[in-house]
Amino acid sequence: MAGSINRMQFLRGDFHGSEDPIRPPWSSAEQLFQEKCTGCGDCVTACPYQLISLGRAKYPEMNFTHYGCDFCGECVLVCKPQALQRGGTASAPPWYLTAEILSPCLSLNGVVCRACGEACEVRAIDFKLEMRGVARPILDKHSCTGCGECFAVCPIKAVKISSTRARDEAA
């Protein structure tokens, strides 16, 4: 086996170790994050959109059900153990997440819906008109910030937010 998985990944059925919970922006790498984070919940209280909640292991996790993250940085400001901290450069990304549009997408199935494209502030989702009036969503993964806004507005949750870090390391 190439890598090891932790107990929680095993219990969730993630035998490849590829589905870590989504941590708040500017989190340390998962192992370091778990070493530093005390589970105090200050970041949970600081988030103005209530996107952060404490998960099963009492570590903070993101929940994009109702809103996307605007990267305000309030969670970073209150993190005393520095499990969340901005990188040395201003251009460092807050995390390595991107959206993926799944096959149940209404637009992919001939139903007019452009909610994700309209919600995307950075315009990473565009629609290409094809024959028979079907508008296919096209996601520019390089522009996508992984903010989760497209997930929040999708009426059937046909968007998946996942880490690009594992994919980048495997490539």
Side-chain angles (χ1 to χ4, degrees):
M1 188 143 108
S4 63
I5 61 172
N6 63 35
R7 181 175 183 268
M8 191 57 72
Q9 288 168 321
F10 177 79
L11 293 174
R12 281 194 315 249
D14 178 20
F15 302 118
H16 299 290
S18 59
E19 296 182 25
D20 282 330
I22 297 175
R23 301 295 181 204
W26 297 288
S27 295
S28 306
E30 186 64 20
Q31 186 174 353
L32 183 59
F33 177 82
Q34 288 183 11
E35 289 172 12
K36 287 183 170 187
C37 180
T38 62
C40 66
D42 288 347
C43 58
V44 174
T45 329
C47 181
Y49 299 107
Q50 301 172 339
L51 298 174
I52 306 172
S53 59
L54 291 180
R56 296 176 92 179
K58 301 296 181 210
Y59 294 119
E61 298 178 6
M62 297 298 290
N63 179 351
F64 299 120
T65 304
H66 300 293
Y67 302 102
C69 183
D70 67 0
F71 309 112
C72 67
E74 294 297 319
C75 54
V76 178
L77 295 175
V78 298
C79 185
K80 292 174 190 78
Q82 295 186 336
L84 309 175
Q85 55 182 323
R86 292 183 191 241
T89 65
S91 63
W95 50 30
Y96 295 93
L97 298 176
T98 189
E100 178 183 349
I101 299 172
L102 306 175
S103 62
C105 170
L106 294 175
S107 288
L108 290 175
N109 291 286
V111 178
V112 176
C113 178
R114 295 188 180 188
C116 59
E118 291 170 0
C120 184
E121 203 170 289
V122 296
R123 299 288 172 234
I125 303 173
D126 198 10
F127 288 83
K128 180 182 177 190
L129 194 58
E130 294 184 346
M131 294 186 61
R132 298 186 189 148
V134 175
R136 178 173 298 279
I138 306 295
L139 176 69
D140 179 1
K141 291 189 181 239
H142 296 291
S143 299
C144 179
T145 62
C147 71
E149 194 66 50
C150 54
F151 178 89
V153 300
C154 181
I156 63 166
K157 301 302 179 219
V159 175
K160 179 180 178 183
I161 306 294
S162 57
S163 174
T164 59
R165 190 173 279 170
R167 282 181 277 182
D168 290 344
E169 290 170 0

